[in-house]
Amino acid sequence: MLKTTNPPLFRHYEQVSRLSPSDHHPLPAASAMEECQLPLIDLRGLGSRDERERAACAAAICRASSEWGFFQVVNHGINPGLVRKMRSEQSRLFRLPFDDKVSGGLLNNSYRWGTPTATCPKQLSWSEAFHVPLSKVSHKDCYGDNFTSLREVMVEFAAAMAELAGTLAGVLVENLGHSRGDFEDICQESSCFLRLNRYPACPTSPEVFGLVPHTDSDFLTILSQDEVGGLQLMKDSRWVAVKPNQDALIVNIGDLFQAWSNDIYKSVEHKVMANAKMERYSIAYFLCPSYETSIGSCREPSKYRKFTFGEYRSQIQEQVKKYGYKIGLPSFRL
C-alpha cells in the first residue's frame, strides 16, 4: 500500500465542519486582501564605522518594532548558501511518510500537525511542523541514520539565527535604556526553539488558515520563508498580505517583548493563509526565556502584572482548550 506524505488534514477539516455546520465561512475573501511591503532594514548599518549610520539603523529597528511589530532585514549575516541547504534538508524531511513523521522519534518527537483542539474550521491550521528545542538540535539520537546531514545544517543554522536574534534584541533593549547583558541573563540560547513548517496545498478552500490568527508568545521571532506568499498581519485594524522577499528574513515582536517594554514594542496578530495549488515552507527561530523567568515591565507604572514564562504558557494552553483561541497578554493587564 502506498504510504502518504501528507497528514490527514482534509479528514480533520471535514470532522470539525460537521461539528459546526453554521461556521463554514469565517474568513474574509482572499481577493480583497491588500498587499504591503514591510519596513526593510539593511543590517550593515549596525556594523558601520560611522556612528550616525549605526544610530540610524538601530532607530529604524526600534521604530518598526513600535509602529509595525514586524520588519524584514537584509545583509543579516546568515549565508544564503546555508539557507538553501536548510530548505533542501527541510523539504527532504517532510517528504517522509506521515506515519514515520508521527512515530519515528525524529527531532525529539516534536512533530505536530493540524490543530487537535479545533472544534470549527476557523480554529484549524492546515500545516505540519517540527517544533524543536535548541537544547536538542545537536543531539545525534534525534536524527537517526538517514538525517545526519540535516543535523549538521540545523546546528549551523540555529547558531546563526541565535546570533542574529541576540543582536536584534540587544538593539531593542538598549533603546529602552537597559544593557544587553541584563537581557542575555534572561534569554539563554538553550531555552529557544527552531520550528520547521510545511503548509501543504489546500484544494478545500482558498480561505482556509495555514496557521490560525495569533501573536507569538516569545520575545521575538525570526522567519525564513520561501517565495510562496500567505503571511498576513494586522495593520491599522485590517489584515494586509506580506509580499514575499526571499533575500530577506522577517522579524516580529512577541508578547514578552511587548510586556517587558510596557507596550512600546508591539506584538501583532498574524496568520498564514493556505494556498490552493502550492505548498509553502518556512523556518522560524523563537527567542524565549526559561519557564522560570519572571517577566516584568522595564518601566513604571507597569501595565502588566509580573508573571513567569511558564505561567504564561500554561494560561494560554488553558485558554485554547476552553475558548478555542489564545487571549494572551490582555489577561495579565493591570
Side-chain angles (χ1 to χ4, degrees):
M1 185 172 65
L2 183 65
K3 292 185 177 180
T4 181
T5 292
N6 287 333
L9 291 164
F10 185 74
R11 187 173 67 201
H12 194 193
Y13 181 86
E14 288 185 319
Q15 289 172 346
V16 298
S17 295
R18 286 195 295 269
L19 288 172
S20 55
S22 62
D23 195 17
H24 283 179
H25 304 286
L27 310 176
S31 60
M33 184 59 54
E34 175 187 347
E35 191 173 58
C36 75
Q37 184 77 38
L38 292 177
L40 181 64
I41 300 172
D42 188 337
L43 293 187
R44 281 184 301 189
L46 292 180
S48 173
R49 295 181 179 180
D50 188 325
E51 183 178 350
R52 290 173 298 180
E53 287 186 16
R54 294 198 303 272
C57 185
I61 292 170
C62 299
R63 183 168 57 252
S65 298
S66 297
E67 296 177 358
W68 282 78
F70 270 79
F71 56 96
Q72 52 189 342
V73 294
V74 292
N75 294 312
H76 39 67
I78 298 180
N79 191 302
L82 176 60
V83 175
R84 287 193 295 271
K85 287 180 182 178
M86 188 67 237
R87 288 177 180 170
S88 176
E89 291 291 340
Q90 177 186 14
S91 176
R92 187 167 74 93
L93 175 67
F94 279 110
R95 285 199 300 271
L96 284 174
F98 171 67
D99 290 343
D100 292 352
K101 288 182 283 192
V102 171
S103 57
L106 284 167
L107 298 179
N108 197 47
N109 289 303
S110 62
Y111 179 73
R112 56 185 68 179
W113 65 275
T115 311
T117 58
T119 58
C120 61
K122 69 179 180 182
Q123 295 173 2
L124 175 65
S125 291
W126 194 277
S127 60
E128 59 178 337
F130 287 90
H131 192 76
V132 192
L134 250 64
S135 59
K136 299 292 184 179
V137 164
S138 63
H139 288 205
K140 292 183 180 180
D141 57 0
C142 288
Y143 297 87
D145 297 331
N146 297 323
F147 286 95
T148 55
S149 57
L150 171 62
R151 176 179 175 268
E152 293 170 0
V153 175
M154 277 191 69
V155 168
E156 185 178 357
F157 187 82
M161 293 287 262
E163 182 176 355
L164 176 58
T167 297
L168 295 171
V171 169
L172 294 168
V173 166
E174 288 183 342
N175 179 60
L176 299 174
H178 292 259
S179 71
R180 295 185 181 216
D182 292 342
F183 192 78
E184 288 171 356
D185 292 337
I186 296 175
C187 271
Q188 300 294 324
E189 185 177 320
S190 60
S191 60
C192 301
F193 290 84
L194 197 65
R195 182 181 173 108
L196 313 182
N197 299 304
R198 176 178 176 261
Y199 302 90
C202 176
T204 303
S205 169
E207 299 176 0
V208 168
F209 291 130
L211 194 60
V212 297
H214 67 286
T215 58
D216 289 352
S217 301
D218 56 354
F219 274 103
L220 63 81
T221 305
I222 304 176
L223 182 73
S224 173
Q225 62 172 352
D226 62 17
E227 73 282 359
V228 180
L231 178 63
Q232 299 177 5
L233 60 90
M234 186 66 70
K235 176 64 174 168
D236 298 329
S237 300
R238 69 182 190 277
W239 288 108
V240 294
V242 176
K243 186 175 182 180
N245 181 348
Q246 281 200 92
D247 297 324
L249 296 175
I250 291 177
V251 182
N252 68 275
I253 299 299
D255 296 344
L256 301 188
F257 237 142
Q258 176 165 331
W260 194 82
S261 70
N262 223 22
D263 284 354
I264 292 176
Y265 304 137
K266 302 298 189 298
S267 180
V268 174
E269 191 175 24
H270 53 286
K271 62 185 178 182
V272 175
M273 301 305 298
N275 190 295
K277 297 180 180 180
M278 301 177 67
E279 63 181 359
R280 177 181 184 267
Y281 287 94
S282 68
I283 309 167
Y285 178 91
F286 297 95
L287 182 64
C288 303
S290 68
Y291 285 172
E292 298 77 28
T293 300
S294 178
I295 307 300
S297 297
C298 69
R299 296 185 176 185
E300 297 293 341
S302 175
K303 296 181 180 180
Y304 301 93
R305 68 173 178 85
K306 285 189 177 182
F307 56 88
T308 66
F309 184 42
E311 179 186 0
Y312 191 65
R313 289 290 301 271
S314 295
Q315 183 146 327
I316 288 171
Q317 290 167 1
E318 289 301 316
Q319 290 167 351
V320 171
K321 288 179 182 178
K322 185 175 182 179
Y323 306 112
Y325 58 90
K326 164 188 169 181
I327 298 173
L329 275 184
S331 302
F332 293 83
R333 277 196 177 273
L334 292 173

